[in-house]
mmCIF file with all atom_site columns, all heavy atoms in Angstrom:
data_model
loop_
_atom_site.group_PDB
_atom_site.id
_atom_site.type_symbol
_atom_site.label_atom_id
_atom_site.label_alt_id
_atom_site.label_comp_id
_atom_site.label_asym_id
_atom_site.label_entity_id
_atom_site.label_seq_id
_atom_site.pdbx_PDB_ins_code
_atom_site.Cartn_x
_atom_site.Cartn_y
_atom_site.Cartn_z
_atom_site.occupancy
_atom_site.B_iso_or_equiv
_atom_site.pdbx_formal_charge
_atom_site.auth_seq_id
_atom_site.auth_comp_id
_atom_site.auth_asym_id
_atom_site.auth_atom_id
_atom_site.pdbx_PDB_model_num
ATOM 1   N N   . ARG A 1 64 ? -11.777 -5.138  1.260  1.00 96.00 ? 64 ARG A N   1
ATOM 2   C CA  . ARG A 1 64 ? -11.314 -4.969  2.641  1.00 96.00 ? 64 ARG A CA  1
ATOM 3   C C   . ARG A 1 64 ? -9.799  -4.751  2.671  1.00 96.00 ? 64 ARG A C   1
ATOM 4   O O   . ARG A 1 64 ? -9.290  -3.919  3.411  1.00 96.00 ? 64 ARG A O   1
ATOM 5   C CB  . ARG A 1 64 ? -11.704 -6.215  3.440  1.00 96.00 ? 64 ARG A CB  1
ATOM 6   C CG  . ARG A 1 64 ? -11.730 -6.035  4.917  1.00 96.00 ? 64 ARG A CG  1
ATOM 7   C CD  . ARG A 1 64 ? -12.294 -7.243  5.615  1.00 96.00 ? 64 ARG A CD  1
ATOM 8   N NE  . ARG A 1 64 ? -11.535 -8.450  5.290  1.00 96.00 ? 64 ARG A NE  1
ATOM 9   C CZ  . ARG A 1 64 ? -12.037 -9.670  5.261  1.00 96.00 ? 64 ARG A CZ  1
ATOM 10  N NH1 . ARG A 1 64 ? -13.307 -9.880  5.516  1.00 96.00 ? 64 ARG A NH1 1
ATOM 11  N NH2 . ARG A 1 64 ? -11.286 -10.711 4.969  1.00 96.00 ? 64 ARG A NH2 1
ATOM 12  N N   . PHE A 1 65 ? -9.081  -5.506  1.819  1.00 97.00 ? 65 PHE A N   1
ATOM 13  C CA  . PHE A 1 65 ? -7.629  -5.343  1.726  1.00 97.00 ? 65 PHE A CA  1
ATOM 14  C C   . PHE A 1 65 ? -7.267  -3.938  1.254  1.00 97.00 ? 65 PHE A C   1
ATOM 15  O O   . PHE A 1 65 ? -6.397  -3.286  1.835  1.00 97.00 ? 65 PHE A O   1
ATOM 16  C CB  . PHE A 1 65 ? -7.015  -6.377  0.768  1.00 97.00 ? 65 PHE A CB  1
ATOM 17  C CG  . PHE A 1 65 ? -5.602  -6.044  0.383  1.00 97.00 ? 65 PHE A CG  1
ATOM 18  C CD1 . PHE A 1 65 ? -4.566  -6.249  1.279  1.00 97.00 ? 65 PHE A CD1 1
ATOM 19  C CD2 . PHE A 1 65 ? -5.313  -5.479  -0.848 1.00 97.00 ? 65 PHE A CD2 1
ATOM 20  C CE1 . PHE A 1 65 ? -3.261  -5.900  0.945  1.00 97.00 ? 65 PHE A CE1 1
ATOM 21  C CE2 . PHE A 1 65 ? -4.015  -5.135  -1.192 1.00 97.00 ? 65 PHE A CE2 1
ATOM 22  C CZ  . PHE A 1 65 ? -2.986  -5.348  -0.290 1.00 97.00 ? 65 PHE A CZ  1
ATOM 23  N N   . ALA A 1 66 ? -7.934  -3.469  0.199  1.00 97.00 ? 66 ALA A N   1
ATOM 24  C CA  . ALA A 1 66 ? -7.630  -2.146  -0.362 1.00 97.00 ? 66 ALA A CA  1
ATOM 25  C C   . ALA A 1 66 ? -7.867  -1.053  0.681  1.00 97.00 ? 66 ALA A C   1
ATOM 26  O O   . ALA A 1 66 ? -7.044  -0.143  0.834  1.00 97.00 ? 66 ALA A O   1
ATOM 27  C CB  . ALA A 1 66 ? -8.474  -1.887  -1.613 1.00 97.00 ? 66 ALA A CB  1
ATOM 28  N N   . ASN A 1 67 ? -8.977  -1.139  1.415  1.00 97.00 ? 67 ASN A N   1
ATOM 29  C CA  . ASN A 1 67 ? -9.265  -0.142  2.450  1.00 97.00 ? 67 ASN A CA  1
ATOM 30  C C   . ASN A 1 67 ? -8.227  -0.175  3.564  1.00 97.00 ? 67 ASN A C   1
ATOM 31  O O   . ASN A 1 67 ? -7.780  0.878   4.041  1.00 97.00 ? 67 ASN A O   1
ATOM 32  C CB  . ASN A 1 67 ? -10.668 -0.346  3.017  1.00 97.00 ? 67 ASN A CB  1
ATOM 33  C CG  . ASN A 1 67 ? -11.748 0.060   2.048  1.00 97.00 ? 67 ASN A CG  1
ATOM 34  O OD1 . ASN A 1 67 ? -11.552 0.928   1.195  1.00 97.00 ? 67 ASN A OD1 1
ATOM 35  N ND2 . ASN A 1 67 ? -12.900 -0.577  2.139  1.00 97.00 ? 67 ASN A ND2 1
ATOM 36  N N   . ALA A 1 68 ? -7.829  -1.370  3.986  1.00 96.00 ? 68 ALA A N   1
ATOM 37  C CA  . ALA A 1 68 ? -6.821  -1.500  5.040  1.00 96.00 ? 68 ALA A CA  1
ATOM 38  C C   . ALA A 1 68 ? -5.470  -0.974  4.564  1.00 96.00 ? 68 ALA A C   1
ATOM 39  O O   . ALA A 1 68 ? -4.748  -0.306  5.323  1.00 96.00 ? 68 ALA A O   1
ATOM 40  C CB  . ALA A 1 68 ? -6.695  -2.954  5.471  1.00 96.00 ? 68 ALA A CB  1
ATOM 41  N N   . TYR A 1 69 ? -5.128  -1.245  3.322  1.00 97.00 ? 69 TYR A N   1
ATOM 42  C CA  . TYR A 1 69 ? -3.866  -0.785  2.746  1.00 97.00 ? 69 TYR A CA  1
ATOM 43  C C   . TYR A 1 69 ? -3.830  0.748   2.717  1.00 97.00 ? 69 TYR A C   1
ATOM 44  O O   . TYR A 1 69 ? -2.851  1.356   3.131  1.00 97.00 ? 69 TYR A O   1
ATOM 45  C CB  . TYR A 1 69 ? -3.710  -1.357  1.330  1.00 97.00 ? 69 TYR A CB  1
ATOM 46  C CG  . TYR A 1 69 ? -2.366  -1.094  0.695  1.00 97.00 ? 69 TYR A CG  1
ATOM 47  C CD1 . TYR A 1 69 ? -1.320  -1.986  0.860  1.00 97.00 ? 69 TYR A CD1 1
ATOM 48  C CD2 . TYR A 1 69 ? -2.146  0.033   -0.081 1.00 97.00 ? 69 TYR A CD2 1
ATOM 49  C CE1 . TYR A 1 69 ? -0.091  -1.772  0.269  1.00 97.00 ? 69 TYR A CE1 1
ATOM 50  C CE2 . TYR A 1 69 ? -0.923  0.272   -0.676 1.00 97.00 ? 69 TYR A CE2 1
ATOM 51  C CZ  . TYR A 1 69 ? 0.110   -0.635  -0.497 1.00 97.00 ? 69 TYR A CZ  1
ATOM 52  O OH  . TYR A 1 69 ? 1.331   -0.395  -1.079 1.00 97.00 ? 69 TYR A OH  1
ATOM 53  N N   . VAL A 1 70 ? -4.916  1.350   2.240  1.00 97.00 ? 70 VAL A N   1
ATOM 54  C CA  . VAL A 1 70 ? -4.994  2.810   2.154  1.00 97.00 ? 70 VAL A CA  1
ATOM 55  C C   . VAL A 1 70 ? -4.868  3.426   3.549  1.00 97.00 ? 70 VAL A C   1
ATOM 56  O O   . VAL A 1 70 ? -4.096  4.356   3.771  1.00 97.00 ? 70 VAL A O   1
ATOM 57  C CB  . VAL A 1 70 ? -6.298  3.267   1.458  1.00 97.00 ? 70 VAL A CB  1
ATOM 58  C CG1 . VAL A 1 70 ? -6.542  4.758   1.639  1.00 97.00 ? 70 VAL A CG1 1
ATOM 59  C CG2 . VAL A 1 70 ? -6.261  2.918   -0.018 1.00 97.00 ? 70 VAL A CG2 1
ATOM 60  N N   . ARG A 1 71 ? -5.649  2.911   4.499  1.00 96.00 ? 71 ARG A N   1
ATOM 61  C CA  . ARG A 1 71 ? -5.601  3.429   5.877  1.00 96.00 ? 71 ARG A CA  1
ATOM 62  C C   . ARG A 1 71 ? -4.196  3.321   6.461  1.00 96.00 ? 71 ARG A C   1
ATOM 63  O O   . ARG A 1 71 ? -3.673  4.263   7.040  1.00 96.00 ? 71 ARG A O   1
ATOM 64  C CB  . ARG A 1 71 ? -6.567  2.637   6.766  1.00 96.00 ? 71 ARG A CB  1
ATOM 65  C CG  . ARG A 1 71 ? -7.846  3.311   7.082  1.00 96.00 ? 71 ARG A CG  1
ATOM 66  C CD  . ARG A 1 71 ? -8.637  2.624   8.191  1.00 96.00 ? 71 ARG A CD  1
ATOM 67  N NE  . ARG A 1 71 ? -8.459  1.185   8.333  1.00 96.00 ? 71 ARG A NE  1
ATOM 68  C CZ  . ARG A 1 71 ? -9.125  0.260   7.651  1.00 96.00 ? 71 ARG A CZ  1
ATOM 69  N NH1 . ARG A 1 71 ? -10.026 0.615   6.753  1.00 96.00 ? 71 ARG A NH1 1
ATOM 70  N NH2 . ARG A 1 71 ? -8.913  -1.024  7.852  1.00 96.00 ? 71 ARG A NH2 1
ATOM 71  N N   . GLY A 1 72 ? -3.594  2.161   6.304  1.00 96.00 ? 72 GLY A N   1
ATOM 72  C CA  . GLY A 1 72 ? -2.277  1.920   6.882  1.00 96.00 ? 72 GLY A CA  1
ATOM 73  C C   . GLY A 1 72 ? -1.200  2.801   6.282  1.00 96.00 ? 72 GLY A C   1
ATOM 74  O O   . GLY A 1 72 ? -0.411  3.418   7.013  1.00 96.00 ? 72 GLY A O   1
ATOM 75  N N   . LYS A 1 73 ? -1.152  2.866   4.985  1.00 96.00 ? 73 LYS A N   1
ATOM 76  C CA  . LYS A 1 73 ? -0.099  3.653   4.325  1.00 96.00 ? 73 LYS A CA  1
ATOM 77  C C   . LYS A 1 73 ? -0.292  5.146   4.551  1.00 96.00 ? 73 LYS A C   1
ATOM 78  O O   . LYS A 1 73 ? 0.682   5.883   4.673  1.00 96.00 ? 73 LYS A O   1
ATOM 79  C CB  . LYS A 1 73 ? -0.046  3.358   2.820  1.00 96.00 ? 73 LYS A CB  1
ATOM 80  C CG  . LYS A 1 73 ? 0.300   1.934   2.483  1.00 96.00 ? 73 LYS A CG  1
ATOM 81  C CD  . LYS A 1 73 ? 1.609   1.493   3.077  1.00 96.00 ? 73 LYS A CD  1
ATOM 82  C CE  . LYS A 1 73 ? 1.917   0.057   2.708  1.00 96.00 ? 73 LYS A CE  1
ATOM 83  N NZ  . LYS A 1 73 ? 3.045   -0.500  3.438  1.00 96.00 ? 73 LYS A NZ  1
ATOM 84  N N   . PHE A 1 74 ? -1.536  5.600   4.627  1.00 97.00 ? 74 PHE A N   1
ATOM 85  C CA  . PHE A 1 74 ? -1.771  7.028   4.871  1.00 97.00 ? 74 PHE A CA  1
ATOM 86  C C   . PHE A 1 74 ? -1.508  7.385   6.327  1.00 97.00 ? 74 PHE A C   1
ATOM 87  O O   . PHE A 1 74 ? -0.769  8.317   6.626  1.00 97.00 ? 74 PHE A O   1
ATOM 88  C CB  . PHE A 1 74 ? -3.192  7.426   4.465  1.00 97.00 ? 74 PHE A CB  1
ATOM 89  C CG  . PHE A 1 74 ? -3.516  8.864   4.755  1.00 97.00 ? 74 PHE A CG  1
ATOM 90  C CD1 . PHE A 1 74 ? -2.884  9.888   4.079  1.00 97.00 ? 74 PHE A CD1 1
ATOM 91  C CD2 . PHE A 1 74 ? -4.438  9.203   5.734  1.00 97.00 ? 74 PHE A CD2 1
ATOM 92  C CE1 . PHE A 1 74 ? -3.149  11.219  4.359  1.00 97.00 ? 74 PHE A CE1 1
ATOM 93  C CE2 . PHE A 1 74 ? -4.717  10.519  6.024  1.00 97.00 ? 74 PHE A CE2 1
ATOM 94  C CZ  . PHE A 1 74 ? -4.077  11.532  5.330  1.00 97.00 ? 74 PHE A CZ  1
ATOM 95  N N   . ASN A 1 75 ? -2.091  6.623   7.251  1.00 95.00 ? 75 ASN A N   1
ATOM 96  C CA  . ASN A 1 75 ? -1.974  6.967   8.669  1.00 95.00 ? 75 ASN A CA  1
ATOM 97  C C   . ASN A 1 75 ? -0.599  6.661   9.255  1.00 95.00 ? 75 ASN A C   1
ATOM 98  O O   . ASN A 1 75 ? -0.088  7.442   10.060 1.00 95.00 ? 75 ASN A O   1
ATOM 99  C CB  . ASN A 1 75 ? -3.042  6.237   9.493  1.00 95.00 ? 75 ASN A CB  1
ATOM 100 C CG  . ASN A 1 75 ? -4.435  6.711   9.159  1.00 95.00 ? 75 ASN A CG  1
ATOM 101 O OD1 . ASN A 1 75 ? -4.649  7.844   8.747  1.00 95.00 ? 75 ASN A OD1 1
ATOM 102 N ND2 . ASN A 1 75 ? -5.404  5.828   9.309  1.00 95.00 ? 75 ASN A ND2 1
ATOM 103 N N   . GLN A 1 76 ? 0.002   5.549   8.879  1.00 96.00 ? 76 GLN A N   1
ATOM 104 C CA  . GLN A 1 76 ? 1.269   5.144   9.478  1.00 96.00 ? 76 GLN A CA  1
ATOM 105 C C   . GLN A 1 76 ? 2.494   5.700   8.745  1.00 96.00 ? 76 GLN A C   1
ATOM 106 O O   . GLN A 1 76 ? 3.451   6.111   9.383  1.00 96.00 ? 76 GLN A O   1
ATOM 107 C CB  . GLN A 1 76 ? 1.376   3.609   9.529  1.00 96.00 ? 76 GLN A CB  1
ATOM 108 C CG  . GLN A 1 76 ? 0.275   2.945   10.325 1.00 96.00 ? 76 GLN A CG  1
ATOM 109 C CD  . GLN A 1 76 ? 0.265   3.359   11.782 1.00 96.00 ? 76 GLN A CD  1
ATOM 110 O OE1 . GLN A 1 76 ? 1.309   3.466   12.404 1.00 96.00 ? 76 GLN A OE1 1
ATOM 111 N NE2 . GLN A 1 76 ? -0.913  3.624   12.316 1.00 96.00 ? 76 GLN A NE2 1
ATOM 112 N N   . LYS A 1 77 ? 2.449   5.691   7.432  1.00 95.00 ? 77 LYS A N   1
ATOM 113 C CA  . LYS A 1 77 ? 3.627   6.091   6.660  1.00 95.00 ? 77 LYS A CA  1
ATOM 114 C C   . LYS A 1 77 ? 3.508   7.459   6.003  1.00 95.00 ? 77 LYS A C   1
ATOM 115 O O   . LYS A 1 77 ? 4.440   7.911   5.352  1.00 95.00 ? 77 LYS A O   1
ATOM 116 C CB  . LYS A 1 77 ? 3.926   5.041   5.588  1.00 95.00 ? 77 LYS A CB  1
ATOM 117 C CG  . LYS A 1 77 ? 4.302   3.700   6.183  1.00 95.00 ? 77 LYS A CG  1
ATOM 118 C CD  . LYS A 1 77 ? 4.965   2.830   5.176  1.00 95.00 ? 77 LYS A CD  1
ATOM 119 C CE  . LYS A 1 77 ? 5.426   1.552   5.850  1.00 95.00 ? 77 LYS A CE  1
ATOM 120 N NZ  . LYS A 1 77 ? 6.551   0.966   5.189  1.00 95.00 ? 77 LYS A NZ  1
ATOM 121 N N   . SER A 1 78 ? 2.347   8.095   6.155  1.00 94.00 ? 78 SER A N   1
ATOM 122 C CA  . SER A 1 78 ? 2.098   9.413   5.551  1.00 94.00 ? 78 SER A CA  1
ATOM 123 C C   . SER A 1 78 ? 2.358   9.416   4.047  1.00 94.00 ? 78 SER A C   1
ATOM 124 O O   . SER A 1 78 ? 2.981   10.327  3.516  1.00 94.00 ? 78 SER A O   1
ATOM 125 C CB  . SER A 1 78 ? 2.945   10.493  6.224  1.00 94.00 ? 78 SER A CB  1
ATOM 126 O OG  . SER A 1 78 ? 2.600   10.616  7.571  1.00 94.00 ? 78 SER A OG  1
ATOM 127 N N   . TRP A 1 79 ? 1.879   8.394   3.368  1.00 96.00 ? 79 TRP A N   1
ATOM 128 C CA  . TRP A 1 79 ? 1.983   8.347   1.919  1.00 96.00 ? 79 TRP A CA  1
ATOM 129 C C   . TRP A 1 79 ? 0.831   9.126   1.312  1.00 96.00 ? 79 TRP A C   1
ATOM 130 O O   . TRP A 1 79 ? -0.264  9.169   1.852  1.00 96.00 ? 79 TRP A O   1
ATOM 131 C CB  . TRP A 1 79 ? 1.891   6.922   1.406  1.00 96.00 ? 79 TRP A CB  1
ATOM 132 C CG  . TRP A 1 79 ? 3.121   6.102   1.583  1.00 96.00 ? 79 TRP A CG  1
ATOM 133 C CD1 . TRP A 1 79 ? 4.253   6.433   2.267  1.00 96.00 ? 79 TRP A CD1 1
ATOM 134 C CD2 . TRP A 1 79 ? 3.341   4.790   1.069  1.00 96.00 ? 79 TRP A CD2 1
ATOM 135 N NE1 . TRP A 1 79 ? 5.152   5.412   2.209  1.00 96.00 ? 79 TRP A NE1 1
ATOM 136 C CE2 . TRP A 1 79 ? 4.623   4.390   1.488  1.00 96.00 ? 79 TRP A CE2 1
ATOM 137 C CE3 . TRP A 1 79 ? 2.576   3.925   0.314  1.00 96.00 ? 79 TRP A CE3 1
ATOM 138 C CZ2 . TRP A 1 79 ? 5.162   3.150   1.148  1.00 96.00 ? 79 TRP A CZ2 1
ATOM 139 C CZ3 . TRP A 1 79 ? 3.111   2.691   -0.015 1.00 96.00 ? 79 TRP A CZ3 1
ATOM 140 C CH2 . TRP A 1 79 ? 4.393   2.310   0.393  1.00 96.00 ? 79 TRP A CH2 1
ATOM 141 N N   . GLY A 1 80 ? 1.080   9.718   0.141  1.00 97.00 ? 80 GLY A N   1
ATOM 142 C CA  . GLY A 1 80 ? 0.043   10.408  -0.598 1.00 97.00 ? 80 GLY A CA  1
ATOM 143 C C   . GLY A 1 80 ? -0.714  9.445   -1.502 1.00 97.00 ? 80 GLY A C   1
ATOM 144 O O   . GLY A 1 80 ? -0.353  8.273   -1.640 1.00 97.00 ? 80 GLY A O   1
ATOM 145 N N   . ARG A 1 81 ? -1.752  9.967   -2.144 1.00 97.00 ? 81 ARG A N   1
ATOM 146 C CA  . ARG A 1 81 ? -2.629  9.137   -2.986 1.00 97.00 ? 81 ARG A CA  1
ATOM 147 C C   . ARG A 1 81 ? -1.880  8.466   -4.136 1.00 97.00 ? 81 ARG A C   1
ATOM 148 O O   . ARG A 1 81 ? -2.173  7.326   -4.484 1.00 97.00 ? 81 ARG A O   1
ATOM 149 C CB  . ARG A 1 81 ? -3.756  9.982   -3.563 1.00 97.00 ? 81 ARG A CB  1
ATOM 150 C CG  . ARG A 1 81 ? -4.791  10.383  -2.558 1.00 97.00 ? 81 ARG A CG  1
ATOM 151 C CD  . ARG A 1 81 ? -5.973  11.051  -3.273 1.00 97.00 ? 81 ARG A CD  1
ATOM 152 N NE  . ARG A 1 81 ? -6.792  11.772  -2.338 1.00 97.00 ? 81 ARG A NE  1
ATOM 153 C CZ  . ARG A 1 81 ? -6.956  13.080  -2.331 1.00 97.00 ? 81 ARG A CZ  1
ATOM 154 N NH1 . ARG A 1 81 ? -6.381  13.834  -3.239 1.00 97.00 ? 81 ARG A NH1 1
ATOM 155 N NH2 . ARG A 1 81 ? -7.722  13.646  -1.432 1.00 97.00 ? 81 ARG A NH2 1
#
Side-chain angles (χ1 to χ4, degrees):
R64 200 172 58 209
F65 166 75
N67 288 332
Y69 187 90
V70 167
R71 257 192 331 275
K73 297 303 180 190
F74 177 67
N75 294 332
Q76 301 298 318
K77 296 197 175 207
S78 297
W79 283 7
R81 288 188 196 115

